[in-house]
Amino acid sequence: KKHHFLLNDLVDWSTPRTSFFRNYKMVRITVLASLALSSTALSLGKLERHHKMAPQQQVKAEGILNRRSFASAVLAGAVATAAAPAFAASPIDGEYWDPFHPTGLRTVQVSGNTATLVGRDDFDGKEWKLAGELGDDSSILIDFSPKGGPKDLKGKFVNNADNVGIVFPDGNRWVKVSPIAGVYSDPNHPEGYRVVTVYPVGFGSGYFMATCFGNDGPGTKQFKLTGKLAGLDSGVKFDFSPKGGPTDLLAKFDGSGLVFPDGNKWPKVNVVGN
């Protein structure tokens, strides 16, 4: 509980910024629908004049009408498919920090109305995997039985200026953090490991820190690096002085790993399903 003072420090950094693209898509859908209706109307006009044509003309006109009707139907079907709302990425999807396990990891991956949760309670702890089901009220029902807990523990996702995360009945909250949090490999030290945790600091500042635990291979000394997030999703500045390096080395997050100025990249490896 000593970590609970950190939970009110979040800002709503996870809100999607896709309204422009959604509006653009709806404009395209409207235009396509108008074209489909116009094509159908023209075909109907030809049908009304059809009885005035000669037999050979009627045969030709019927072919035109059938082709245009078919094209209209196909286009209308495409419009209907495009107009159907695609499943938006759930705000519950992402990386979390648990104050009861501050050096651990929690990853939630949502697919439809189900979720897979993968984590560890310490940076070098055993990995566990849980199943979850999403509710209509921004809730998630999690089966904690693989960890010795209840089969149907309900968590509520909250997203406001004070905090973003999953709240449980006992008052514990998994704080949603940057996707930089996770397990990485280092091509320069293939036998070693790197685990990056991200956690909130301060009161209402929206300020986050990072810690990297690791070693360079079997028999090597374990190290611990501290870091400051340079933009919640864009990168982290690590203090590599414990390893004889610079104090503010910027590693940029490209969505699949951390890229360093010398071109070295730590690929992120704790992807659900791997």
Side-chain angles (χ1 to χ4, degrees), residues 76-261:
V79 170
T81 301
F87 181 79
S90 169
I92 298 178
D93 197 282
E95 307 288 347
Y96 291 82
W97 176 77
D98 182 351
F100 288 161
H101 303 281
T103 59
L105 297 170
R106 276 97 177 93
T107 301
V108 180
Q109 186 177 69
V110 174
S111 177
N113 65 344
T114 62
T116 302
L117 296 83
V118 175
R120 54 179 70 183
D121 293 338
D122 201 358
F123 69 89
D124 58 353
K126 183 179 179 180
E127 187 173 276
W128 45 257
K129 187 175 182 179
L130 310 176
E133 184 176 340
L134 272 60
D136 296 331
D137 56 347
S138 298
S139 65
I140 179 171
L141 204 64
I142 305 173
D143 179 5
F144 273 94
S145 59
K147 289 178 88 309
K151 288 180 61 65
D152 55 355
L153 186 63
K154 186 176 183 179
K156 179 77 173 180
F157 183 78
V158 296
N159 186 346
N160 54 52
D162 294 324
N163 58 73
V164 181
I166 301 173
V167 182
F168 293 96
D170 65 354
N172 186 28
R173 301 184 182 190
W174 288 5
V175 179
K176 191 168 187 181
V177 297
S178 167
I180 291 172
V183 181
Y184 295 82
S185 63
D186 182 352
N188 292 337
H189 303 281
E191 299 299 318
Y193 69 88
R194 280 92 174 95
V195 177
V196 178
T197 62
V198 176
Y199 54 94
V201 178
F203 289 95
S205 66
Y207 184 61
F208 289 78
M209 294 284 290
T211 303
C212 176
F213 302 92
N215 68 29
D216 293 337
T220 63
K221 185 178 178 180
Q222 179 181 296
F223 62 81
K224 178 182 176 180
L225 311 176
T226 58
K228 300 176 182 178
L229 266 64
L232 287 175
D233 297 345
S234 61
V236 56
K237 285 187 176 181
F238 283 119
D239 177 3
F240 269 89
S241 59
K243 286 177 62 56
T247 59
D248 59 351
L249 188 63
L250 175 63
K252 294 184 177 180
F253 185 70
D254 68 356
S256 62
L258 289 169
V259 182
F260 291 87

Side-chain angles (χ1 to χ4, degrees), residues 15-23:
T15 303
R17 303 182 180 91
T18 56
S19 59
F20 170 80
F21 299 101
R22 285 197 297 269
N23 292 338

